[in-house]
């Protein structure tokens, strides 16, 4: 099994995770948004990887401007998750 196949298959457990945490209603809203933004990262990374291979003949990791642009969505996702849980912790302390 190659890494592309593994990447595609890994999407299904993540979608299940999103379904359960959304349905539970217990995840802080901002964190939940962050988990969904990770899907944007995936949606951007796949075409960016194809583009870098076709245009530059390189993997996405080797085309800095394109890789950094895609990673921006991962960073945004992480920030939203952290801020969402931080907000929930602070609200609980009060």
């Amino acid at each position: 099994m190659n890494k592309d196949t593994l990447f595609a298959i890994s999407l299904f457990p993540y979608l299940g995770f999103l379904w359960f945490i959304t349905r539970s209603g217990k995840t802080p809203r901002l964190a939940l948004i962050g988990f969904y933004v990770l899907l944007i990262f995936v949606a951007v990374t796949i075409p960016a990887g194809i583009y870098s291979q076709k245009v530059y003949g390189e993997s996405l990791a080797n085309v800095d401007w394109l890789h950094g642009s895609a990673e921006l969505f991962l960073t945004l996702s992480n920030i939203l998750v952290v801020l969402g849980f931080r907000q929930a912790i602070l609200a609980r302390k009060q």
Side-chain angles (χ1 to χ4, degrees):
M1 185 177 310
N2 66 25
K3 66 179 181 172
D4 295 329
T5 303
L6 190 58
F7 181 72
I9 291 172
S10 72
L11 187 58
F12 294 106
Y14 190 73
L15 291 173
F17 164 74
L18 287 177
W19 185 79
F20 280 112
I21 66 169
T22 301
R23 196 171 157 109
S24 77
K26 295 182 179 183
T27 306
R29 181 156 173 74
L30 192 58
L32 189 60
I33 291 168
F35 286 125
Y36 276 93
V37 169
L38 189 62
L39 290 176
I40 297 171
F41 163 71
V42 172
V44 167
T45 301
I46 294 169
I50 293 168
Y51 181 81
S52 68
Q53 196 67 48
K54 297 282 185 198
V55 173
Y56 297 103
E58 295 280 346
S59 72
L60 180 59
N62 294 331
V63 183
D64 289 341
W65 75 269
L66 203 51
H67 185 235
S69 299
E71 290 288 324
L72 173 70
F73 291 99
L74 179 59
T75 302
L76 179 61
S77 171
N78 290 336
I79 289 170
L80 291 172
V81 169
V82 168
L83 290 177
F85 281 111
R86 179 182 181 273
Q87 190 177 51
I89 290 168
L90 292 175
R92 181 141 186 169
K93 283 183 179 179
Q94 291 179 351

